[in-house]
Each structure stands twice: as structure tokens, then as C-alpha cells.
Amino acid sequence: ELAGIEGNFDRGVVSVMANIDSNPPLLTSEAESGATATCWIEYNPLTSCIYTTNNGSRSISSFYLNEDSEVELVSNDLGGGLDAPTDMIQSSDSKYLYALSTGAQTEDLQPLIYVYEMTGDCGLKQVQVIADGLDDEATRSADGGVVNGYVGLALF
């Protein structure tokens, strides 16, 4: 689960819950991301790593979930240079992470999808950047589209 710290969404926290069907769920551990506007979350069951996008910090944070279900921050500056990342999703084999960068803060307003190989130490290795098939915001606006309209990813 992601949430702002004490209602402050400028700083994020990752919370690990046990027995989520109980009311309320049992909190087992939590850790601050140390980043601004922490948004989406992905858990990799192969490595016990947790990744979050940080829209305001233009980055991805990674955490390690240890055997005692305690979450520890590994890095809050992965994928540096992402432009307002919103969504991310991992491949079905849990080897790759896809992050949508909206392009909202760049001169050309070009959305991009960054592809990373997830490493066993909760790191990321960039392997590809995809722009093909994603209209920039000027094109979308001229065609009557919504500016900053790319807000989600789906992987098939």
C-alpha cells in the first residue's frame, strides 16, 4: 500500500500489511520513500523487491521485503530523469518493469515508456526507451485530444 505521511502526499511511505481480509488489516512494516508524490507500486515475487514511481521526484524507488516482512528502502533515485512518471507494470515473468513517463515537463512534451530489467539487488538496468506509437501532447491537442492524456499502462 502507498500513502502520504500523515496526509502529506509530498512524501510517500510503503506499508506492508498482513491478513488484509481482517478489519483493520495488520500493519507489519513501513518505510518512507524519501521521494515526492510517490504514486504506483509493483511487487516482484522473484526478488522480494518493491518498486514505486515518484511523480514529483522524477524517479523510481526500490525497497526490499525481508523474510520477517519488514520493508527497507534500497534506493529512491532509480530511473533518474523520468519526466513525471505516472504508471508502471511488470512483465508476466517478473523480469522487466515498464514505466510511463508523461513528458509533461519536457520541451517536446513527448511521453515515453522506459523498460528496465529488474535485478536481484532491487536495482534497475535500463534496456529500452519506447516513443513509437505515442503521440506528443502538441499532436494530441491539435487532434482534439486531452493534454497529458497518457496516465496508464497495460501489458498483454
Side-chain angles (χ1 to χ4, degrees):
E1 169 188 67
L2 288 176
I5 298 172
E6 297 177 11
N8 180 355
F9 291 99
D10 287 341
R11 304 273 312 216
V13 62
V14 170
S15 301
V16 177
M17 307 287 207
N19 193 12
I20 61 171
D21 293 328
S22 68
N23 191 11
L26 304 173
L27 177 67
T28 62
S29 178
E30 61 184 16
E32 280 191 47
S33 69
T36 304
T38 300
C39 195
W40 295 102
I41 189 167
E42 281 288 330
Y43 171 71
N44 184 327
L46 298 179
T47 61
S48 294
C49 297
I50 300 168
Y51 298 92
T52 66
T53 56
N54 306 306
N55 188 278
S57 295
R58 303 174 68 159
S59 65
I60 296 173
S61 293
S62 66
F63 301 82
Y64 177 69
L65 182 63
N66 69 24
E67 302 81 30
D68 297 323
S69 295
E70 295 173 345
V71 64
E72 306 162 5
L73 177 66
V74 175
S75 175
N76 66 0
D77 196 24
L78 297 174
L82 291 174
D83 182 29
T86 53
D87 200 3
M88 67 179 165
I89 192 167
Q90 64 182 304
S91 60
S92 60
D93 61 4
S94 297
K95 292 183 180 179
Y96 298 96
L97 185 69
Y98 299 80
L100 175 62
S101 181
T102 64
Q105 298 170 349
T106 61
E107 190 174 315
D108 63 1
L109 300 174
Q110 176 64 57
L112 300 169
I113 298 173
Y114 288 81
V115 184
Y116 301 96
E117 181 179 351
M118 293 182 279
T119 61
D121 62 356
C122 300
L124 296 174
K125 177 183 173 190
Q126 184 177 310
V127 295
Q128 186 178 11
V129 179
I130 302 169
D132 294 341
L134 297 172
D135 290 337
D136 63 30
E137 296 301 334
T139 303
R140 290 178 54 80
S141 180
D143 291 340
V146 176
V147 176
N148 294 329
Y150 292 104
V151 294
L153 278 176
L155 187 62
F156 296 94

